[in-house]
Amino acid sequence: MNELSCPACGKKILFDPQLLLKGQSFSCSGCRSVISLANEDKKQVESALHKFNQLQGNN
Amino acid sequence: MPELVSMAQQFTGLPMGDLIGGPLIAAASANNQMAATQTKFIMDTCFQKEGSDDDATYKPVMIKMLLTQGVINPSSDPGGDPTITTVDTTFDLPLMTIIPMNSLAVDNVDISFDMEVKSSFSDERSEESATSTAAQASLEAKVGWGPFSATVRGSISHDSSSSSSYNSHYQKSNSAQYSVKVHAGQLPLPDGVGVVLDALTKSIQPTIMPTENGGS
Ligand SMILES: [Zn+2]
């Protein structure tokens, strides 16, 4: 699980990058705000995750 | 008779430095390579290079995220229930924070060295000796007077046999086994990467603009 600080309240939001890419949203335990990946950047994230997984597989 | 091999002698002269140091050096080199490829990935994918090589700056690649927040709207009717609506806003997030960054490295090297020295000597000897003697004698004698006659018949036979066999068998075998187990696992992120990630994550915090009267 990755984490980022909630832009609204600053609490940690845990998220799974693969699930985020699939369209799942993750909520903040502090303020109940929900984050998700904008459609316009899905391709970029998909490509980066793919490259990263390849890198892990090669090692 | 050949002596059994000395075990101590078998183990002296083994290149222990190479046997143990070799896999360790290989593991360190593998770690180095993995770190280098990860760094290259981060710099190539998560950052955008600007400027020439001598004076290059790297800007983090940002991705758009949606933030959905619930907003409580007070009722326009006095005494009416407030309503909750959701508001979508976007914010930019460094791509690097999305990558499940870790430190993949060789975290365990098992070197087990089994050397088995087998030395065996076997000597088989067998000797067989058989002697058989058969003697047969028959004698017939006839002696007479008058017309002289004498008959002598005789037979003697002797049989003797002897055999011997000798077997000598010498066997010696050596076997050595060398196994190296290398395990690559996850290590905690290096502090430096953690600091960069933290700084990037904090960069998405909304900045509160100062108010007109100078407060914040
Ligand atoms: Zn929050």
Side-chain angles (χ1 to χ4, degrees), chain A residues 6 8-11 28 30-33:
Chain A
C6 172
C9 73
K11 279 215 166 190
C28 168
C31 67
R32 298 284 156 203
S33 294

Side-chain angles (χ1 to χ4, degrees), chain B residues 140-187:
Chain B
E140 189 184 311
K142 192 182 174 183
V143 178
W145 295 102
F148 180 80
S149 82
T151 307
V152 176
R153 279 191 200 146
S155 155
I156 280 178
S157 92
H158 181 83
D159 182 25
S160 172
S161 76
S162 168
S163 74
S164 88
S165 70
Y166 173 79
N167 281 331
S168 181
H169 179 64
Y170 177 70
Q171 191 183 342
K172 180 184 161 189
S173 71
N174 280 329
S175 70
Q177 200 180 17
Y178 181 47
S179 67
V180 181
K181 284 181 204 158
V182 177
H183 176 259
Q186 309 276 345
L187 292 183

Side-chain angles (χ1 to χ4, degrees), chain B residues 20 45 47 58 61 82 104 106 127 145 179 193-194 199 206:
Chain B
I20 296 168
T45 313
F47 288 89
Y58 290 87
V61 172
L104 188 71
V106 173
E127 201 169 335
W145 295 102
S179 67
V193 180

Side-chain angles (χ1 to χ4, degrees), chain B residues 13-25:
Chain B
L14 275 178
M16 293 313 285
D18 290 343
L19 291 172
I20 296 168
L24 284 179
I25 291 167

